[in-house]
Amino acid sequence: AQSVTQPDIHITVSEGASLELRCNYSYGATPYLFWYVQSPGQGLQLLLKYFSGDTLVQGIKGFEAEFKRSQSSFNLRKPSVHWSDAAEYFCAVGEESGNTGKLIFGQGTTLQVKP
Amino acid sequence: DSGVTQTPKHLITATGQRVTLRCSPRSGDLSVYWYQQSLDQGLQFLIQYYNGEERAKGNILERFSAQQFPDLHSELNLSSLELGDSALYFCASSVTVRGYNEQFFGPGTRLTVL
């Protein structure tokens, strides 16, 4: 069965510092991978997605992620964090079998940004 | 604003009661998904409908049911509520069945069972 692991429950970085959020997945074939962000009291917003092709994916708000098949990872990065990036971040994988689009989410990583 | 609307925003009710959560997908989206977000279980897929038909089921309790109407809005019915049903319930919609272009999420309905 597919699964997603986000090893870091909580991360604190200083404003202007670089950021990397880790995501590992368990999947049989080429995965469909996503990163979503949830601000307090808000729904989930898609940051970026990987289906195939170039393993370095650019997203919104200056985020990027790299798909590494050998490591079963899809880590999210940002070179310089802004205070407004403080939120909860979810990695997700799209279901493999059947004709559905359900997403399987990791437990989430809460990002705190220090001034 | 994702274009997906959910009502109500907040719901407070008592154990044993029944509630209905409503979702209106983005215009033109045929797929509707329901997810539950709780502190202990995280974000979990409940159920998917595509153009009025159930397409996939996740960890949805038998006390819960859903449907998608001809106008494509969807309702999630939760009955015999327990304290553990307190959670944030999200609806998402997409154009396709697989939703791999993007699933657009609504703001959620926060359910509190007392």
Side-chain angles (χ1 to χ4, degrees):
Chain A
Q2 300 102 305
S3 65
V4 177
T5 303
Q6 293 179 246
D8 305 306
I9 295 174
H10 193 108
I11 281 185
T12 300
V13 300
S14 298
E15 191 169 15
S18 63
L19 171 71
E20 182 170 35
L21 302 182
R22 296 183 292 163
C23 172
N24 294 99
Y25 64 89
S26 171
Y27 199 79
T30 300
Y32 300 95
L33 294 163
F34 307 82
W35 274 99
Y36 282 86
V37 61
Q38 182 181 22
S39 299
Q42 303 295 314
L44 294 158
Q45 182 183 23
L46 181 68
L47 287 176
L48 46 78
K49 58 184 182 282
Y50 172 78
F51 292 167
S52 64
D54 193 346
T55 57
L56 186 61
V57 181
Q58 301 297 320
I60 62 170
K61 304 185 180 187
F63 286 92
E64 67 177 26
E66 186 170 13
F67 169 61
K68 292 185 177 180
R69 184 187 299 276
S70 61
Q71 298 177 20
S72 297
S73 70
F74 189 57
N75 294 348
L76 182 71
R77 300 194 295 246
K78 187 170 185 178
S80 177
V81 169
H82 188 262
W83 64 266
S84 61
D85 293 323
E88 190 158 19
Y89 291 79
F90 293 92
C91 182
V93 64
E95 187 187 45
E96 173 184 34
S97 62
N99 198 19
T100 84
K102 79 176 191 185
L103 297 175
I104 298 163
F105 286 90
Q107 286 296 98
T109 298
T110 300
L111 173 65
Q112 184 179 3
V113 180
K114 291 190 304 185
Chain B
D1 185 356
S2 67
V4 178
T5 60
Q6 290 186 250
T7 56
K9 278 191 174 181
H10 302 276
L11 202 46
I12 301 175
T13 188
T15 54
Q17 295 298 304
R18 172 190 170 95
V19 297
T20 297
L21 312 184
R22 183 188 168 101
C23 168
S24 293
R26 293 188 321 149
S27 176
D29 285 0
L30 299 178
S31 267
V32 169
Y33 310 78
W34 287 97
Y35 294 87
Q36 179 195 59
Q37 185 179 32
S38 62
L39 284 175
D40 52 346
Q41 298 291 325
L43 257 168
Q44 287 201 98
F45 168 76
L46 295 178
I47 197 164
Q48 177 194 4
Y49 277 82
Y50 178 77
N51 203 19
E53 293 187 5
E54 183 184 301
R55 184 64 66 151
K57 258 186 176 180
N59 297 324
I60 187 167
L61 299 171
E62 284 191 14
R63 300 183 285 108
F64 295 2
S65 65
Q67 54 184 325
Q68 187 179 26
F69 294 86
D71 66 353
L72 300 177
H73 90 271
S74 177
E75 293 181 355
L76 180 66
N77 300 296
L78 315 176
S79 62
S80 302
L81 285 167
E82 301 175 0
L83 297 178
D85 297 327
S86 296
L88 192 53
Y89 291 85
F90 285 111
C91 166
S93 74
S94 70
V95 174
T96 64
V97 171
R98 287 195 153 231
Y100 292 152
N101 290 325
E102 182 171 350
Q103 286 187 29
F104 292 85
F105 282 77
T109 293
R110 182 168 295 282
L111 174 65
T112 302
V113 182
L114 301 175

